[in-house]
Amino acid sequence: MHRPYKGIRIVDLTHFHAGPLCTYELALLGAEVIKVESPEGGDMLRRVTRDKGLRAAGLGALFTGQNANKKSVVLDLKQDEGRDVFRRLVATADVVVENMRPGAMDRLGLGYADLSAINPRLVYCALSGFGQTGPLSDRPGFDHCMQGFAGIMSVTGTQESGPLKVGFPIADSGTALMAAFAISSALYEAKVTGKGLLVDVSMLESCLVLQSLLVYRYLNGGEEPQRIGNDALSVAPYVGTFETKDGIILLNPSVFRHFRQLCTSIDREDLNTDPRCENESAAVRNRVWLRQEIQNALNARDAEEWEEILSRDGVPASRVRTIPEALAEAQTKARSAVTHLRDIEGAPDGVRTLNVGFRLGQEAPAPERSPPRLGEHTLEVLEDIGLDRDEIARLLTERVAVAAAPL
């Protein structure tokens, strides 16, 4: 298995979704990710699950999905000694990742300036809603609110529905991947120069980049994006969702020759010679009529049958699937998108996690270790950074550190 970040140590002070997903991606690529958690229950997502057994084990469904391959250390950073131990850990690290409110780490004496003085080659990544600077930098950042602030909701939905949020936390997920990319870039520079740097990742800017096609239409064309539902940005009438005999299919003939092939594939070659759709502009002018003609033809078959026919003929098309259906697809399984981790205490059926999302060579980097129990690696890591058994015993007694097993 390719592990390009093997030998990189990341200290992970993140919680919720964006930060943990970022460090999970890096853990799958070989980085040693040490998740530093609070003695007050650790990452709150440990307890978010309907399964009582998993909740009792601290393995909430969302937590398990983005914390496999990591180690868990419990330190009380509110105590001086906890912060001292944290600094010793950072001295051995390549990266620190945190998603606290801007200024929170500085107040603890653990901000970038403090930690880079200890470790000049340190890459310090701070994720926040609005970034570390600017008039709104002190505002908290949460996905739903950011979808509203960054304009995502304004272009999602239809004119009739009003603004809608995307059906998953796209602001969090996009920020996570942006941060992983930024950390990778900073690590490369640090390797060349021997000096680390501050990586400042904001949800707002990540969301703007995710919407870049719409942003450019406004910045460079003066066109304010509107809600268009399932239609194409070009408002081509042959792009979007259509009913079939048993479900919904989405068509995306992105170029006009695809539309010509669509007409042939749905047994409506007459449309290819109809002056009302002789070119894309004519098709747009006759949008209502043309969509109805296509709809009438698609009523003849099931969505899955149409998907097979159209895909065979080179017309981009997809039956609209649920997430369970997408996960059950043979293609998803062939790409090894999901790993089943077994033999996990408190989870008799094990847990399933997504892999990194791409392949290196012929392999899809996947987790090898289960999500950690709270404090599972406290003893291992404290010994690794040079604390002797007496020091560790005292820290455990004073609740500066917490371990899942006795010393």
Side-chain angles (χ1 to χ4, degrees), residues 327-392:
L327 290 170
E329 278 291 330
Q331 179 65 24
T332 306
K333 294 177 179 178
R335 295 287 292 178
S336 304
V338 177
T339 292
H340 189 179
L341 298 169
R342 296 177 170 84
D343 301 322
I344 299 175
E345 183 180 346
D349 296 328
V351 298
R352 293 169 175 82
T353 68
L354 290 170
N355 299 336
V356 74
F358 53 83
R359 291 195 166 214
L360 296 177
Q362 300 302 311
E363 300 171 336
E368 299 172 316
R369 297 192 312 275
S370 63
R373 290 174 293 132
L374 183 63
E376 180 177 346
H377 303 92
T378 298
L379 301 180
E380 172 192 327
V381 172
L382 295 187
E383 289 177 351
D384 180 73
I385 62 175
L387 277 71
D388 61 36
R389 292 181 69 84
D390 289 341
E391 287 180 288
I392 295 172

